[in-house]
Amino acid sequence: MTRYVYDFDEPSDGGRDLLGGKGIGLAEMTQLGIPVPAGFTITTDACRAYLASGGEVEGLDEEVAEHIERLEKHTGKRFGDSEDPLLISVRSGAAVSMPGMMDSILNVGLNDDSVAGLTRSTGNEDFARDCYRRLIQMFGETVDEIPHESFSVDDTVDRARAIYERETGRGFPQDAREQLRRAITAVFDSWNSSRAQFYRRTYDIPDDLGTAVNVVQMVFGNKGEGSATGVAFTRDPSTGEQGVYGEYLVNAQGEDVVAGVRTPLPLAELRDRLPEAYDQLIETMAALERHYRDMQDIEFTVEEGKLYLLQTRTAKRTAAAAIKCAVDMTAEGLIERDEAVARIDPSQLDQLLHPRLDERAEFEVAAHGLNASPGAASGKIVLDADAAEERGKGEPVILVRWETSPDDFPGMKQSAGVLTAHGGLTSHAAVVARGMGKPCVAGCEDLDIDTGARTVRIGSHHLREGDVITIDGGTGRVIVGEVPVVPPAINEDFETILEWADDLRRLKVRANADTPDEAAKAREFGAQGIGLCRTEHMFRQEDRLPVVREMILARDEAGRREALDRIAPFQQADFEGIFEAMAGLPVTIRLLDPPLNEFLPEEKDATDERMRRRIRQLHEDNPMLGTRGCRLGIQWPEIYEMQVRAIARAAKAVQERGGEAPLVEIMHPLVGFREELRRLRELTERLMEEEAPELEYLCGTMIELPRAALRAGEIAEVADFFSFGTNDLTQTALGMSRDDAEGKFLTFYLEDGVLERNPFEVLDQDGVGELMRIAVERGRETKPEIKLGICGEHGGEPTSVEFCHRIGLDYVSCSPYRVPLARLAAAQAVLHEANRAEYVQAGG
Ligand code: PEP
Ligand code: MG
């Protein structure tokens, strides 16, 4: 028979997957000799069996009863005793950290009789009644689903019990074993609560893991002034600075600190209040960090001067902190460079590339709160999470709350930032915002909210819902109105990690950039060239559009050429700017791609009948599959001729000015047939020969159509390079319109679980990836030296970058801001391949 329960001091083989993060942390701490309350873990196997059977788990009750007996022996107290009862907490703990998403219940085992016993055995009636009131409320909310608002922290035991009876129609259960059984079931059930499901979808956590349940002897931080409870980090989770960092509350129980109902005190103050416990805590934290070789996030309780650790886990941290820790820990000899690179989550790096307030702008700070999560954002005030979820889709909003709870998660996700009046740096709002990389200011005491009147007061300002504010989560400042922001830069530690990543990676990283400014930014972030310069943006600029329209509306080729002659100098100037910004590095320029009707006015705006006719003539029912890409260049070669000439002239001009010839790569879009590229190559070669016979360049194609991927062998005969345009290749391989799918059926597919990931964001490796693999193989067979890259959006998505590494591409190309992320992901691909990226995480 499967065994479902393990004491903390018993070895088990299942590790984190079986015991959950909290359970494995408690077991390891117990085995390391760290002061941890006694208890046991009910495994994730039990939870899965419970969820699968719809309630029954054979043998579980008996096993729990046995372990309760052992706990009674160990503590010398009896569970359900009316004089000196053993009290326990029942805590969730999945293998993957899901902060606040599932339930915990404290003080299980108290009833009307034993509360009097607890008073007598502790001599502290306030304490005993406080414990019982908490049990009734937590049990009521979690087990019987009584709404949180029905209770208040000011309730007495009698009042809490009366509310319980009113809401459930039953008295509060007096039997300790019934309390325990129902509490365990409630924790199992909380795995499938809608907020937990939503969280799992957001972070791609599988639904079938289940949670473990930890049954832990209660220790009390609420036994008076000599008791306390808190959370602490072995380094600062916002900045990564060395030195312990945390918060605590005197005379309180664990949930008070994280729930953000009372604003906690900085941990350093505990030294004066409870010096011995403080010193022991600091020592223990250092030992834990050495043991796990990573930053730890711990929960502790001091009961009448005695320290207990209730949890340790690898600390969630901002990207800046992750980088600083990795670099510092390498210097401290705790980890190697490879591990430092492996530890940074590339998708988190976006945070570092977040905007900050422009300090040169004039603004007045209306209030200060805690700097809970970095970044700056402006938006309209919204006072509840549902409204934030709705309005946040259309415009930036700042969710303003007393505090947030796990139910607010979807609203927080849609907000540009979060501002709370209560709560500390470890409050729900702070932790969740940091995880999402959104700015958050918490514990802003000078904030008052009137949810009835839909108004807020920030400092001396009285505002309504819908008014604009700005928050700076890096410093805790709150400002009325909008403040300009500046883009971020890469600091020294970040640079160090990226250099280590560069030493490891094989893939080159280029950027998609259409303007000299973007090209310069890309270079600053370490791009090794431009993988895609889309020329249509140059056509759309305001001063050029009228000429482009004239070109399209022209009666004949002569008319088109006349208009194109006027566009040519603009094009040349654009290319010169880009070549200069990327001197010494390759630049891939893609010739005009979108359907011409995209440049046309609407029929109703036509000025005459001829124009109206021409607009109608150019109309296509499905322009994405119509006259676009190289089909344009083949039908109206004069357009591409002008572009190739402009490229050649720009390259020559830049070479004459700077001495160095740009590395030009001319790319033809949407090729499906060899003959298309053969003709375009001929055109390209003829014009390059005419304009710049000395210039070396490459001529290649995008692979954006399934046919092109399948016939890559013959296309390679006339191509120097392939660049996978996975935006179009996804669209054409899946038959899903990239403009229409997202927000329509694709959203439904993702919500309903038909698809796990949005294929326009994360490469569909099985389908689109297979086509790429075929193209690589067939292309290289014809031409082993053919250069291969990717320039669709997937080129900046970590798992897709890893795939590109595996199939042997030469480079990935992505937007400038994602270049650092791609550099790191490319290095991690090497580490994964060599199996060098694993490291053991602590806790959950
Ligand atoms: C692509 O299709 O992947 C691509 C990069 O081109 P565009 O997005 O401009 O169609
Ligand atoms: Mg494309």
Side-chain angles (χ1 to χ4, degrees), residues 530-658:
I530 289 181
L532 174 64
C533 170
R534 293 176 165 107
T535 51
E536 50 269 21
H537 294 169
M538 303 168 179
F539 276 54
R540 283 204 185 98
Q541 284 178 28
E542 222 175 311
D543 51 343
R544 307 176 192 181
L545 198 56
V547 193
V548 174
R549 285 188 175 152
E550 264 180 56
M551 186 267 290
I552 300 168
L553 294 167
R555 257 176 232 282
D556 50 20
E557 186 185 325
R560 275 197 295 279
R561 283 192 185 276
E562 190 275 323
L564 284 164
D565 284 346
R566 279 184 285 145
I567 300 170
F570 290 121
Q571 280 264 277
Q572 184 180 330
D574 292 332
F575 295 143
E576 284 182 31
I578 288 173
F579 290 150
E580 262 161 9
M582 297 307 282
L585 298 175
V587 177
T588 308
I589 295 174
R590 178 181 73 187
L591 303 189
L592 196 64
D593 181 34
L596 285 184
N597 66 352
E598 271 191 26
F599 298 97
L600 283 181
E602 287 186 43
E603 196 180 326
K604 66 176 174 37
D605 298 324
T607 48
D608 60 33
E609 189 48 36
R610 201 186 69 85
M611 189 166 164
R612 197 167 299 121
R613 255 204 330 271
R614 185 79 179 129
I615 293 172
R616 245 181 266 145
Q617 225 173 31
L618 282 168
H619 170 83
E620 290 177 322
D621 280 334
N622 195 345
M624 260 293 175
L625 300 177
T627 316
R628 59 168 287 215
C630 69
R631 297 162 197 169
L632 272 179
I634 286 173
Q635 207 177 325
W636 292 353
E638 52 278 9
I639 300 179
Y640 280 12
E641 282 174 19
M642 179 280 286
Q643 291 198 290
V644 175
R645 262 189 225 285
I647 292 169
R649 288 176 186 175
K652 251 175 46 184
V654 168
Q655 182 176 16
E656 275 160 22
R657 279 203 294 276

Side-chain angles (χ1 to χ4, degrees), residues 512 532 534 536 590 593 624 628 667 670 702-704 723-729 738 791-794:
N512 295 354
L532 174 64
R534 293 176 165 107
E536 50 269 21
R590 178 181 73 187
D593 181 34
M624 260 293 175
R628 59 168 287 215
M667 180 155 79
L670 217 76
M702 300 188 74
I703 302 288
E704 298 175 282
S723 177
F724 290 97
T726 46
N727 303 334
D728 273 309
L729 192 57
R738 56 197 266 199
C791 63
E793 288 305 306
H794 307 91

